[in-house]
Amino acid sequence: MAQTIRVAVSGQPNCGKSTMFNAITGGSARVGNYPGITVDRLEGIYRENGHISQLVDLPGTYSLTSYSMEELVARNVIVDEHPDVVINMMDATALERSLYLAVQLMEIGAPLVLGLNMMDEVRRSGVTIDVDKLSQLLGVPVVPCVARLGQGRKELMQAVAETADRTQGKWTPFRLSYGPDLDPILERMSRAIEDAQFLTGRYDPRWLAVKYLENDEQVLAEGAKAGATHDALLALCAEAEAVTRKNSATTPDAIIADWRYGFINGLIKQGVVRGSDALRRNNSDAIDKIVTHKLLGPLIMLAVLYGMFLVTFTLGAYPQGWIEKGFEWLGEMGTTYIPEGYVQSLLVSGIIGGVGSVIGFTPLICIMFAMLVFLEDLGYMARVAYMLDRVLRIFGLHGMSVMPLIMSGGIPGGCAVPGVMCARTLRSPRERLATILTAPFMVCGAKTTAYLMLVAAFFPDNPTRAMFFVVLAAWAFVLLVSKLLRSTMIRGESTPFVMEIPPYRLPTLRGVLLHTWERVWQYVKKAGTVILAVSILMWAVMTFPELPEDTVAQYDTQKEQAAEQVKAAHPDAGEEELATLTEDAQKEIEDAQNEAALKYSTAGRVSEALTPLTNLAGFPWQANIALIGAFAAKEVFVSTMATAYSMGKVDPEEPESLSERLAADPAWSLPAVLSVFAFMLLYTPCMVTVVVIARESNWKWATFSVVGSLCFAFVVSVLIYQVGTALLT
């Protein structure tokens, strides 16, 4: 006996839903009522090729939020009767509006077949809809129809039978992002619903959480009877409303609607509709004609990125200088008032020199974060992602890889940890893995600190241009390595992609300040905890063991001899002049002693052991120590370099910034600088990122990310140094 397929026919009012229902069921339709209400229930039977389909024509509804009795009935049939397939009839002449209901049906997880009605009118209007592409992007069958003529009914029911066979009654909810304000709260709500098994027999946890945020009356009434979890969810809804009102001057339900339409807008922009003057037009569409233009769009994007660096270095130079002067003053006070010894060395070289060097870049980080937050809240970053999708697909990445890469530092200021976690939104395991492995190449906030220091030292005249090229290099390496991985170890076909493109919304000052403060506070907190701890550790390994007493005595003897030689050479010099000349003569000996002491320490011995290898890449020996410490957190590179260059060299009368000390070191030739730039960009992710990679994939790939990126970074650095040195000699 043939199995009956239960089919619900849904659609917005006046989309031709009932006309198609009648064309499919013919004279078999019968009218009844839903239990307890007066809304008609129309049912019918369709038989074809051994399949029997039992169809119910739902009342017309614009959404699955219950604003009217008809909408409540339509949703309850889908939720309670759990049909095998849902046919969603759409008005193809109003595709954007019609897709709004389709997206909600996908979110609830119903096996879906889309009927694209009124295609004759679409063709007459000069608009072309790529039905196959729409189907590919949404992952559901799409059938062109003309309901009044009965065209497409057989194809529609064939798609229903194929969908029922494929899904076997299994519902798979589609996860749509609702932005940085709501996604974390939705995650917490979903987790609370799952843990308490709160109405999970009827609703998908995330969909239920969305309904709570939309203030759906029926769901709230049902939840109030179901248990204490209801109160916890209401508290989270209140938190969500407070956040959205502060940050975006709007409500959660408005943001949800915006992001759904953003998803639809992104879908249509993928070439689904051509000659689209008949589509809904708004200010965002008009702006996007310029901002996402094939030629102008990338140029605007590069100009925005360059402008960010220009503003950062121009405005940030003043407060950065004030902070550096403040820490230099602290160093002077420590050197002047704390007796020489371990305590002075720890406080001045380890803590003030290490942590102070990182804190000194806080103004630059703050300005960059503020601009990035403004662009995110404005909606421009979604456009950047949309434009980059065209490039990413050439190199084997998925369009949805854009956001993980941007979050990881595609525009400096991100972090690889949330970037790697964000990659879980990718459907394809291969594209997801390629994104996870390459995301740490981006210029995260931690690397930004290191690069700001290096750029200030070696490219003081063109810091904006230098940072701009560093970011472009990061993107280039991501694309090249992705192509290599997808061509060798992670082969497979690319999957369809739809990017959410929300409407432009002018950010509120409070929202920008709040989001900026959250990011800057994380940076400062890391400087006060992780970096402080690692700075103390690095000071210890750069201090102990100390030089043997006989070696120290030899340097003391050399200083005495230098003083005697000065006296002999300048018999007529006054006491003050003699002291100055003696200090100058002894300075070179003191520098040699400090360097010898650092090389004799544990860190110095490790660096010396690595030197035969790192000499191939031209790394100064201090960089060896700093790069090892930076595995804990990339900011530690700055604090360790500050400690290495301040050991025994803090002169209260002539304090120097770290950048000045680096620039004065002849070991930092241009090829060596570029080599370290490349190595910092590409080598092993920080410890936390490695743990997250293991959690998101497995320890095999996490180990590969450590070993593989380390080897790749070293090879690139060696090539840069050797070729650069050969060209300059």
Side-chain angles (χ1 to χ4, degrees), residues 20-201:
M20 179 56 77
F21 175 85
N22 291 331
I24 293 171
T25 58
S28 68
R30 59 185 178 83
V31 178
N33 286 107
Y34 293 97
I37 55 177
T38 58
V39 177
D40 287 344
R41 178 185 179 103
L42 194 64
E43 295 184 352
I45 301 294
Y46 177 84
R47 293 181 174 85
E48 184 76 22
N49 298 328
H51 288 98
I52 300 175
S53 298
Q54 182 179 339
L55 293 88
V56 55
D57 184 18
L58 303 179
T61 175
Y62 287 103
S63 75
L64 292 184
T65 301
S66 56
Y67 294 115
S68 67
M69 183 64 71
E70 286 78 8
E71 290 174 332
L72 178 61
V73 167
R75 187 177 76 190
N76 286 349
V77 169
I78 294 172
V79 170
D80 295 331
E81 299 186 17
H82 220 70
D84 300 309
V85 180
V86 175
I87 296 175
N88 178 212
M89 294 300 298
M90 300 193 302
D91 180 355
T93 65
L95 185 59
E96 186 175 20
R97 186 193 70 198
S98 298
L99 279 168
Y100 192 79
L101 176 60
V103 168
Q104 292 181 76
L105 290 168
M106 291 169 61
E107 285 186 280
I108 203 171
L112 196 61
V113 173
L114 299 182
L116 210 53
N117 192 29
M118 306 182 194
M119 287 296 289
D120 53 340
E121 295 184 25
V122 169
R123 287 188 286 269
R124 279 198 298 270
S125 68
V127 176
T128 302
I129 297 178
D130 191 334
V131 176
D132 292 335
K133 188 156 194 175
L134 179 62
S135 174
Q136 181 189 32
L137 292 171
L138 288 176
V140 300
V142 180
V143 180
C145 306
V146 181
R148 62 185 180 82
L149 301 177
Q151 294 178 5
R153 64 186 182 89
K154 288 189 176 182
E155 293 84 354
L156 200 62
M157 294 313 296
Q158 181 181 348
V160 165
E162 292 172 354
T163 300
D165 289 341
R166 185 182 71 252
T167 59
Q168 295 294 310
K170 181 181 179 181
W171 286 34
T172 306
F174 174 70
R175 296 290 183 252
L176 182 64
S177 170
Y178 289 114
D181 286 338
L182 293 187
D183 278 349
I185 296 175
L186 278 171
E187 185 67 27
R188 289 161 58 193
M189 294 175 74
S190 301
R191 195 159 49 243
I193 291 167
E194 286 187 75
D195 292 344
Q197 293 294 296
F198 182 75
L199 299 177
T200 52

Side-chain angles (χ1 to χ4, degrees), residues 357-358 361 449-450 453 634-643 658:
S357 61
V358 176
F361 292 101
T449 307
M453 180 265 291
K634 292 297 185 283
E635 300 99 329
V636 172
F637 179 85
V638 179
S639 60
T640 305
M641 291 292 284
T643 303
L658 175 58

